[in-house]
Amino acid sequence: MLVVMDAGARPEQIEAVVRHIEKMGLKAHPIPGANRTAIGITGAQRTADPEVLENFPGVKEVIRVSHGYKLVSREAKPDDTIVSVGGVDVGGRGIVVIGGPCAVESLDQTRTIAQGIKRAGGQLLRGGAYKPRTSPYSFQGLGERGLEILARVREEFDLPIITEAIDEGSLKLVVQYADCIQIGARNMQNFALLKAAGRTRTPVLLKRGMSATLEELLLSAEYVMSEGNYAVILCERGVRTFADHTRNTLDLSIVPAIKRTSHLPVLVDPSHGTGKRNKVLPMSRAAIAVGCDGVLIEVHHKPEEALSDGPQAILPEDFAQLVRECDAIGQVVGRTLQPALAAS
Ligand code: PEP
Ligand code: MN
């Protein structure tokens, strides 16, 4: 259920509704929007009576939400959410181009790549310290040492960092070091991890599961938000289909579908979405054209030596070209490249 307040509702009127909801043993989520505040109600919906709520001063209407997700929906918040990742806005009119290695391998490797990202105008650095690999014998990441490297490189280049947490143990460390927690495709329905990320106040980048529907993705985001963390960014990264000319099938049509249903920002990852270096630039162009809020790109200065996902990593100089083209296409669809943080 959603309680939509009048545009001019006073803070004490919002507070009175929140107190009433909590007195019923439910959870209230005030969601301020550009024109009005809505209050999402979650919990075991047993006793919230819409007629009682409707009569509170300042309440415009009470909407019964029939689908399972509430806080992620446009009904809860008609205007687009902007998530600040270490001072860089994701969502709104700006677009972001995020780059970095699949895995943090060493300080030298991460520095070299980060330098290329910054020079090219990329605003955020990605890189995994904890890698969920299909084979137990593949490189699993440097763990906390990888997080230390990312934090050091962030200071050097003023590039906020996004890195994956694969379980509750790694999550605790990731929030100490990173500006944004990535939850990967394989963990999109790890509900304990989603709830734990929801209890933090660090932004979450939630990647679509390999066979997840739009509704399942939104429900996973709802898990995070239902715990009080409203800074969620969604990411399309390709799904499994019969097509075998690419690693996955990048489902760009989910971008307008999400935009219609949800206020959350959406990124596209054409690296995992295609698995092939030569498809990353064309699919990035298409992703920006279709209306996403930015792209997440794997970059490596020596892809043939990369410890994971080398075949889909592009070179730093190709990343620079990609940033230029995303900027140009963004302008056609009324977007502007988000400025990178100034060097301090
Ligand atoms: C990654 O971003 O390196 C990654 C493992 O992504 P995904 O969860 O989309 O496979
Ligand atoms: Mn990867």
Side-chain angles (χ1 to χ4, degrees):
M1 209 178 291
L2 276 173
V3 182
V4 180
M5 303 299 293
D6 287 327
R10 293 194 305 276
E12 59 273 20
Q13 293 177 326
I14 297 171
E15 189 46 40
V17 175
V18 167
R19 271 202 312 272
H20 173 75
I21 295 166
E22 286 171 352
K23 224 163 65 196
M24 312 305 321
L26 300 165
K27 203 161 169 176
H29 304 263
I31 308 162
N35 299 313
R36 44 82 154 165
T37 292
I39 304 168
I41 307 177
T42 61
Q45 304 284 312
R46 20 167 209 103
T47 37
D49 181 346
E51 281 173 32
V52 173
L53 286 164
E54 257 158 14
N55 284 321
F56 271 73
V59 171
K60 180 164 180 274
E61 59 177 332
V62 177
I63 304 174
R64 284 189 187 81
V65 183
S66 52
H67 37 69
Y69 49 85
K70 300 169 175 45
L71 306 175
V72 306
S73 73
R74 283 255 179 225
E75 287 154 320
K77 185 167 180 281
D79 45 307
D80 290 338
T81 284
I82 298 176
V83 174
S84 171
V85 176
V88 172
D89 283 351
V90 180
R93 271 181 60 82
I95 49 174
V96 288
V97 185
I98 303 164
C102 178
V104 174
E105 298 167 7
S106 68
L107 176 59
D108 268 2
Q109 172 247 18
T110 309
R111 282 191 73 231
T112 306
I113 297 168
Q115 189 173 45
I117 303 299
K118 188 74 184 190
R119 276 195 190 142
Q123 303 91 341
L124 298 166
L125 178 67
R126 61 143 291 145
Y130 297 90
K131 295 304 304 175
R133 303 304 299 279
T134 304
S135 163
Y137 308 116
S138 300
F139 177 59
Q140 305 283 311
L142 296 180
E144 190 169 6
R145 170 83 192 118
L147 297 176
E148 285 166 6
I149 290 172
L150 284 169
R152 193 167 151 187
V153 169
R154 169 185 47 209
E155 296 318 308
E156 190 172 345
F157 296 103
D158 285 296
L159 277 173
I161 52 183
I162 301 177
T163 194
E164 182 163 354
I166 54 172
D167 52 25
E168 289 177 64
S170 55
L171 177 72
K172 285 202 179 81
L173 289 166
V174 165
V175 295
Q176 284 172 32
Y177 289 91
D179 301 286
C180 183
I181 307 158
Q182 178 171 320
I183 296 190
R186 290 157 191 79
N187 273 314
M188 190 205 82
Q189 287 190 314
N190 180 339
F191 301 119
L193 183 59
L194 295 172
K195 285 201 256 184
R199 290 191 292 271
T200 75
R201 291 299 172 263
T202 304
V204 173
L205 171 64
L206 178 63
K207 299 187 88 175
R208 180 185 184 185
M210 299 183 196
S211 60
T213 62
L214 168 63
E215 187 176 22
E216 286 164 342
L217 174 62
L218 294 179
L219 284 168
S220 290
E222 186 82 17
Y223 261 95
V224 178
M225 294 180 78
S226 69
E227 295 290 332
N229 186 351
Y230 306 120
V232 180
I233 303 164
L234 304 173
C235 181
E236 159 62 26
R237 48 78 70 205
V239 290
R240 283 269 169 91
T241 69
F242 52 83
D244 57 4
H245 61 284
T246 53
R247 178 177 176 185
N248 293 295
T249 297
L250 192 63
D251 177 18
L252 290 180
S253 69
I254 201 169
V255 175
I258 293 173
K259 290 283 177 195
R260 203 183 153 92
T261 328
S262 174
H263 54 88
L264 295 176
V266 192
L267 301 180
V268 168
D269 171 354
S271 305
H272 293 88
T274 66
K276 309 219 180 191
R277 180 173 311 131
N278 63 14
K279 295 189 172 55
V280 172
L281 176 61
M283 294 312 282
S284 299
R285 295 180 188 128
I288 298 297
V290 86
C292 74
D293 298 298
V295 286
L296 183 69
I297 308 291
E298 287 194 344
V299 180
H300 204 293
H301 61 303
K302 288 184 185 161
E304 61 294 344
E305 291 175 22
L307 296 181
S308 69
D309 285 347
Q312 67 195 35
I314 63 169
L315 292 166
E317 50 270 35
D318 295 333
F319 180 79
Q321 170 79 11
L322 187 147
V323 174
R324 285 194 292 274
E325 296 202 16
C326 287
D327 185 16
I329 291 175
Q331 290 182 29
V332 176
V333 292
R335 312 293 293 267
T336 45
L337 202 62
Q338 196 65 40
L341 295 183
S344 52

